[in-house]
């Protein structure tokens, strides 16, 4: 992101205005004010391991030789460091298992406790920009965090770019991708396909500073929330998978991701075996749900009604996306369970859904359901015996979000 600018549009008294927001300033502000912002990739550690091991199986990297990993747009995630630490400590063991024909999922199962231990270790200070684990080095780059804002000079063997591309304005994506491809030889990117849960309330003073009258909006249209604040979504490029394939080009392969509202992209061709193993892996470790059910009691949603409303409104679309991803999975207990939970949720809120001839699911009429969601937590904990069916449904739905 070189220019770091995003055009936004807003309306006042039937007049449209365009203004410009400096995204670098936005992300620096968000990172400074939110301790865990940008740490979503922590939930993707197993998927990142599988990606890395596929490179090793294809002999594109040698786990026992010096390796350089760049976490590009890493935010506050420790995932690449967890990956490097466990790989470095087990490089010879993993290489031996691979020589014996042991598959990716079996290797991950063997390493599961060590991965869990490294992943659960508390990070009390900011992770160093460059860290060495025996023969594996991790360097971090993120324009929104001053300590990581120096662009790496050394080209990496492997680059991870998790939940970054959707934060780049579409018109700047070609330049950003050029920089990303120059950063390393093999690249993995997790790209979100939906709106961001997190938001920024834009002060009107920031909008008016560069505002210009226009006949029609030309940027991201800002709307006022019930609080009266202009809300800026932190995902500025919410695009379908087909559009991402066009932008990335034919040399990139896009696959289902552990985050079912995202796509996993890589700049090389993965094997058919890997694609099947990855589905099996996700079935074993479960989907990563980045739009949690917004229970209020004792959570950040209790103090942030705007965030609660945004998260609640995303639930139906989240479940439709999950149903569509599941259509590509073989029949299994995992598929049946996940499908049943999503269908039950959509039925509970009264959503009209349909399945098209190609098997994809579509969201139709959606009644007002926020009041119903707001009561679910109370219903599940109140011990109200007057409607056992409602209480049972509430308990099941809430359990998914706790």
């Amino acid at each position: 992101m070189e220019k770091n600018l995003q055009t936004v549009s807003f309306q006042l008294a039937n007049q449209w205005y365009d203004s410009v927001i400096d995204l670098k300033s936005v992300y620096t502000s968000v990172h400074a004010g939110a301790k865990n912002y940008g740490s979503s990739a922590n939930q993707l550690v197993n998927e990142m391991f599988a990606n890395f091991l596929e490179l090793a199986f294809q002999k594109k990297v040698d786990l026992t030789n010096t390796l350089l990993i760049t976490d590009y747009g890493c935010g506050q995630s420790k995932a690449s460091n967890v990956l490097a630490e466990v790989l470095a400590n087990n490089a010879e063991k993993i290489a031996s298992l691979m020589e014996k024909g042991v598959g990716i999922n079996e290797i991950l199962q063997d390493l599961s406790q060590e991965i869990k231990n490294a992943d659960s270790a508390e990070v009390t200070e900011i992770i160093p920009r460059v860290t060495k684990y025996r023969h594996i080095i991790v360097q971090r780059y993120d324009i929104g965090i001053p300590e990581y804002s120096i662009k790496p000079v050394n080209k990496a063997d492997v680059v991870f770019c998790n939940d970054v591309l959707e934060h780049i304005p579409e018109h700047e994506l070609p330049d950003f991708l050029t920089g990303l491809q120059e950063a390393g030889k093999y690249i993995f990117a997790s790209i979100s396909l939906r709106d961001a849960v997190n938001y920024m309330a834009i002060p009107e003073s920031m909008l008016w500073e560069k505002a210009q009258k226009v006949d029609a909006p030309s940027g991201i249209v800002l709307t006022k929330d019930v609080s009266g604040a202009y809300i800026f979504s932190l995902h500025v490029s919410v695009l379908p998978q087909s559009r991402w394939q066009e932008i990335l080009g034919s040399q990139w392969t896009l696959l289902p991701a552990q985050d079912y509202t995202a796509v996993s992209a890589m700049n090389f061709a993965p094997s058919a075996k890997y694609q099947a193993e990855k589905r099996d892996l996700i079935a074993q470790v479960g989907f990563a749900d980045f739009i949690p059910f917004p229970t209020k009691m004792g959570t950040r949603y209790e103090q942030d009604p705007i965030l609660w409303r945004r998260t609640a409104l995303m639930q139906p679309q989240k479940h439709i996306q999950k149903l569509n991803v599941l259509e590509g999975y073989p029949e299994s207990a995992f598929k049946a369970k996940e499908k049943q939970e999503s269908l039950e949720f959509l039925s509970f809120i009264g959503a009209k859904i349909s399945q098209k001839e190609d098997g994809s699911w579509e969201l139709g009429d959606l009644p007002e359901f926020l009041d119903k969601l707001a009561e679910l937590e109370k219903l599940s904990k109140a011990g109200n015996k007057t409607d056992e069916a409602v209480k049972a449904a509430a308990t099941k739905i809430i359990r998914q979000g706790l």
Side-chain angles (χ1 to χ4, degrees), residues 6 67 79 98 139 166 188 192 198 237 272 285 295 302 312 327 338 344 352 370 373 379 382 395 398:
Q6 173 65 53
L67 287 169
M98 290 171 58
Q139 55 185 8
E166 64 272 13
F188 295 102
S192 184
N198 291 295
S237 290
V285 301
T295 55
E302 199 166 26
E327 288 302 314
E338 293 290 340
E344 285 182 351
K352 302 296 183 184
L370 293 187
L373 293 192
L379 283 170
T395 300
I398 290 295

Side-chain angles (χ1 to χ4, degrees), residues 67 132 185 199 227 237 242 247 264 280 297 301 305 325 360 393:
L67 287 169
K132 185 175 182 181
K185 188 172 183 181
Y199 69 94
S227 68
S237 290
S242 58
I247 292 170
S264 180
D280 290 342
M297 297 180 185
Y301 301 106
V325 167
S360 63

Side-chain angles (χ1 to χ4, degrees), residues 144-340:
I145 300 178
E147 292 87 345
Y148 304 153
S149 59
I150 300 173
K151 201 165 189 176
V153 175
N154 296 322
K155 187 167 184 174
D157 299 289
V158 180
V159 177
F160 287 103
C161 185
N162 292 315
D163 293 334
V164 178
L165 288 169
E166 64 272 13
H167 293 275
I168 310 302
E170 188 172 354
H171 66 276
E172 289 191 17
L173 282 169
D175 287 343
F176 180 87
L177 287 169
T178 297
L180 180 61
Q181 289 164 335
E182 290 172 351
K185 188 172 183 181
Y186 298 110
I187 304 168
F188 295 102
S190 176
I191 310 170
S192 184
L193 304 177
R194 44 82 183 168
D195 194 11
V197 172
N198 291 295
Y199 69 94
M200 183 175 182
I202 302 294
E204 290 195 19
S205 58
M206 179 187 293
L207 292 174
W208 286 115
E209 184 180 348
K210 297 182 179 180
Q212 293 183 336
K213 288 183 178 181
V214 292
D215 294 330
S218 63
I220 294 176
V221 175
L222 302 181
T223 56
K224 281 194 174 184
D225 193 83
V226 290
S227 68
Y230 283 106
I231 300 302
F232 178 69
S233 169
L234 299 180
H235 288 183
V236 298
S237 290
V238 180
L239 308 170
Q241 180 172 328
S242 58
R243 178 61 183 139
W244 281 114
Q245 186 70 75
E246 291 176 0
I247 292 170
L248 292 168
S250 59
Q251 74 273 23
W252 286 75
T253 302
L254 275 59
L255 298 175
Q258 189 182 354
D259 169 12
Y260 55 83
T261 62
V263 66
S264 180
M266 53 208 72
N267 67 339
F268 68 98
S271 66
K273 181 181 179 183
Y274 165 77
Q275 296 184 49
E277 283 195 300
K278 188 173 181 183
R279 285 194 295 268
D280 290 342
L281 169 68
I282 294 172
Q284 289 174 26
V285 301
F287 285 127
D289 187 353
F290 291 152
I291 317 177
F293 188 87
T295 55
K296 283 188 174 182
M297 297 180 185
T299 71
R300 59 178 177 157
Y301 301 106
E302 199 166 26
Q303 305 299 322
D304 193 339
I306 297 176
L307 183 63
W308 184 88
R309 180 181 174 84
R310 285 176 63 83
T311 309
L313 287 170
M314 290 179 187
Q315 297 301 314
Q317 191 60 52
K318 171 184 94 171
H319 284 283
I320 284 291
Q321 285 184 282
K322 190 212 285 187
L323 288 173
N324 283 326
V325 167
L326 285 168
E327 288 302 314
Y329 277 67
E331 297 302 323
S332 64
F334 167 76
K335 179 177 179 177
K337 172 180 173 294
E338 293 290 340
K339 186 174 181 178
Q340 180 184 3

Side-chain angles (χ1 to χ4, degrees), residues 28 50 82 103 109 127 179 184 207 216 258 300 309 312 333 341 364:
T28 299
V82 170
Q109 187 62 37
I127 300 171
L207 292 174
Q258 189 182 354
R300 59 178 177 157
R309 180 181 174 84
E341 286 181 354

Side-chain angles (χ1 to χ4, degrees), residues 49-63 94 98-99 102 104 107 185-186 188 251 253 255 266-275 277:
F49 264 95
N51 292 342
F52 210 101
L53 291 176
E54 169 66 1
L55 285 176
F57 269 109
Q58 291 197 27
K59 300 190 183 303
K60 296 181 184 297
V61 298
D62 182 348
L63 298 180
I94 296 170
M98 290 171 58
E99 286 295 323
V102 178
I104 288 174
I107 293 173
K185 188 172 183 181
Y186 298 110
F188 295 102
Q251 74 273 23
T253 302
L255 298 175
M266 53 208 72
N267 67 339
F268 68 98
S271 66
K273 181 181 179 183
Y274 165 77
Q275 296 184 49
E277 283 195 300

